[in-house]
């Protein structure tokens, strides 16, 4: 999604802004630009494509200033192009703006501006109207003009503006799009996200909806909707900029895959007291709140939704409350049964996913209690929830989510265990057994990394397959969806996941020797007629007898599967309930190496963005 960076200090704004934009590359973008107030006018330079293109046209040392704004754009209105790139100027380029979000009534405003003021538009974007609105209201006070412009705007926006006549000031506003101000020494920053500023500073102010911010080199002043000054606590961030770097790995995705043991430990240990009991520090749900619940919705998108599928299994098993999992873009339009006995769990790495956020608001308005599982501290989902259960994955840069998923799973277990104990549906003995299983996971994930070479070999061998199916039963089915998404989003191979028992109702028609099936069969806890493992063995035979090649994914000790599969991947032995945390790791690594073999842009796959802040 679009990224915004603004800097105001004494000099070298260009360098700071470009550095910030580089840090925001992970959000996905198709063009980039920068605007600086130079010699009484605003100079805007922008270019379609990678940041390198922009860097070439701003290399000139005379193009620099003490303040400025920059942007990476992810097209929504108007194709990716130089003119549609941000910043946008008003008629005489005395004002420039960068914008993240969508101005819903931009066509109306465009018509009004061209009829009333003869404004001629240069771009096809919705954003350009903001520069012109500020331009027509500007009488020497940028803050005042921004406030007036906002009155005309409908939609979602984070906007930063500069004016040629006030070259030492940035004015910004936010409504339903992320914005954070950064507190420097003799300089200040504003950006869509904390990593954009981490190289220079560690202290931040979150900006809330409908607030405006005025930044000079010495001050950051936040105003609420009524124009009153707001006092905000400083947010101290302990990550350093290196945490967002690759640390020797070829790609962020591989680095983040390898960070999973640490992320799992952190997420787990921060929620355990000295006696090993789950504590929900900072979460205000009382025993009564938990006891009165009669329905739980888990709502999320993409990978986070897949974490919800596993969450449903574990919560229903331990808490004995019906759980529905829904993709946020469906939930928000289906008028679900929600009341004050409903718990709504939003899962989101970024905490800025528009569909998830809107679903949350919908559920909140109907009286549900909102608990979110979020990675980005201070994000919109976190701020609008009653309670937040943070994942401690650290910044996730690769578009393909890996460590966010496994830490989301850990949160699902902890929430289920806590609620199960509170409602008396989980015995202390089962609680302790499960906790032991969870604590053993980081070490077991490390063991899986020893199979990386084999997974790279399998990736090389099967990289040319045009169709890859992922099948599984029970909790394995949820992981199959995630494995399939991982593969398709970075390798661009057509891939499809299905509950293995569903195969015979249609999809089996596609099985032939050209197809590869990845069969997850980790659920071997139950023996006998109901054993999911035995059912999976039958499913594997069903597809191999039609010529499909099979890679089976099983626990150590299930070597028999070698007789019916082309290849077998093993994960360490563990309880069935926690197997999803382990079984997803080989699938992530396989997807990574397939994409690498095919020479794809692994960290920034085509058409995708890290944080999807549009509907
Ligand atoms: C997964 O690899 C994708 N990046 C995507 O499905 C992602 O999980 C989804 O867009 C939700 O994002 P969120 O967790 O930030 O809400």
């Amino acid at each position: 999604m679009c990224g915004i960076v603004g800097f105001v200090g004494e000099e070298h704004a260009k360098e700071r802004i470009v550095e910030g934009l580089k840090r925001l590359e992970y959000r996905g973008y198709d063009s980039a630009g920068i605007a600086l107030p130079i010699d009484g006018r605003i100079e805007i330079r922008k270019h379609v494509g990678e940041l390198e293109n922009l860097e070439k046209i701003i290399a000139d040392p005379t193009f620099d200033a003490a303040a400025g704004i920059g942007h990476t754009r992810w097209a929504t209105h108007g194709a990716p192009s130089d003119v549609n790139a941000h910043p946008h100027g008003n008629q005489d380029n005395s004002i420039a703006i960068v914008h993240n979000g969508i101005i819903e009534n931009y066509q109306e405003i465009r018509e009004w501006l061209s009829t009333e003021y003869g404004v001629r538009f240069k771009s096809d974007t919705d954003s350009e109207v903001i520069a012109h609105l500020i331009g027509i209201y500007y009488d020497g006070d940028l803050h005042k003009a921004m406030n007036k412009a906002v009155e005309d705007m409908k939609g979602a926006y984070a906007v930063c503006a500069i004016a040629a006549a006030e070259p030492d000031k940035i004015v910004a506003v936010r409504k339903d799009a992320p914005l954070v101000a950064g507190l420097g020494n003799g300089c200040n920053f504003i950006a869509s996200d904390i990593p954009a500023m981490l190289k220079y500073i560690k202290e931040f102010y979150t900006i809330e909806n409908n607030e405006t911010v005025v930044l000079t080199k010495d001050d950051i002043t936040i105003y609420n909707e009524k124009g009153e000054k707001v006092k905000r606590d400083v947010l101290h961030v302990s990550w350093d900029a290196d945490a967002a770097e690759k640390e020797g790995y070829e790609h962020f995705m591989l680095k983040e895959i390898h960070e999973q043991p640490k992320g799992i430990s952190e997420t787990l240990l921060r929620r355990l007291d000295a006696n090993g009991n789950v504590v929900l520090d900072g979460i205000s749900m009382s025993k009564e709140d938990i006891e009165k619940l009669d329905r739980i919705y888990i709502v999320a998108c993409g990978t986070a939704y897949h974490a919800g599928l596993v969450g449903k299994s574990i919560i229903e098993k331990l808490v004995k409350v019906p759980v529905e999992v829904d993709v946020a873009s469906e939930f928000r339009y289906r008028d679900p049964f929600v009341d004050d006995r409903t718990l709504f769990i939003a899962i989101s790495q970024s905490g800025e996913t528009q569909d998830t956020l809107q679903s949350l608001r919908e559920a909140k308005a109907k009286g549900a209690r909102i608990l979110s599982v979020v990675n980005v501290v201070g994000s919109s989902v976190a701020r609008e929830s009653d309670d937040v259960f943070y994942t401690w994955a650290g910044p996730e840069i690769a578009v393909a989510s890996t460590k966010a998923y496994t830490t989301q799973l850990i949160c699902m277990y902890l929430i289920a265990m806590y609620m199960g104990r509170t409602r008396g549906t989980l015995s202390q003995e089962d609680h302790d057994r499960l906790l032991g299983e969870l604590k053993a996971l980081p070490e077991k994930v490390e063991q899986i990394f020893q199979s990386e070479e084999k997974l790279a070999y399998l990736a090389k061998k099967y990289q040319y397959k045009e169709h890859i199916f992922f099948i599984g039963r029970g909790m394995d089915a949820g992981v199959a969806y995630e494995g399939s998404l991982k593969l398709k989003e970075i390798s661009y191979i057509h891939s499809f996941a299905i509950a293995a028992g569903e195969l015979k109702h249609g999809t089996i028609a596609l099985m032939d020797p050209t197809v590869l099936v990845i069969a997850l069969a980790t659920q071997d806890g139950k023996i006998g007629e109901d054993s999911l493992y035995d059912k999976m063995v039958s499913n594997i035979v069903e597809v191999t007898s039609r010529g499909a090649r099979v890679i089976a994914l099983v626990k150590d000790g299930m070597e028999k599967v070698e007789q019916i599969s082309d290849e077998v991947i093993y994960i360490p032995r563990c309880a069935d309930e926690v197997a999803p945390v382990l079984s997803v790791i080989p699938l992530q690594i396989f997807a990574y190496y397939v994409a690498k073999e095919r020479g794809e842009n692994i960290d920034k796959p085509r058409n995708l963005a890290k944080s999807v802040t549009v509907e």
Side-chain angles (χ1 to χ4, degrees), residues 301-304 347-351 353 399-401 408 485-486 489 612:
C301 304
T303 288
I347 309 180
S348 176
Q349 186 284 131
S350 62
T353 304
V399 167
S401 195
Q408 283 160 357
L485 177 67
K486 221 72 309 161
E489 71 181 326
V612 185

Side-chain angles (χ1 to χ4, degrees), residues 443-456:
E443 178 56 39
K444 291 181 181 176
V445 175
E446 294 284 1
Q447 286 172 32
I448 294 173
F449 293 152
Q450 290 166 17
S451 314
E452 192 165 331
E453 218 171 287
K454 179 176 176 188
L455 290 160

Side-chain angles (χ1 to χ4, degrees), residues 101 274 404 505 590:
H505 298 289
F590 178 73

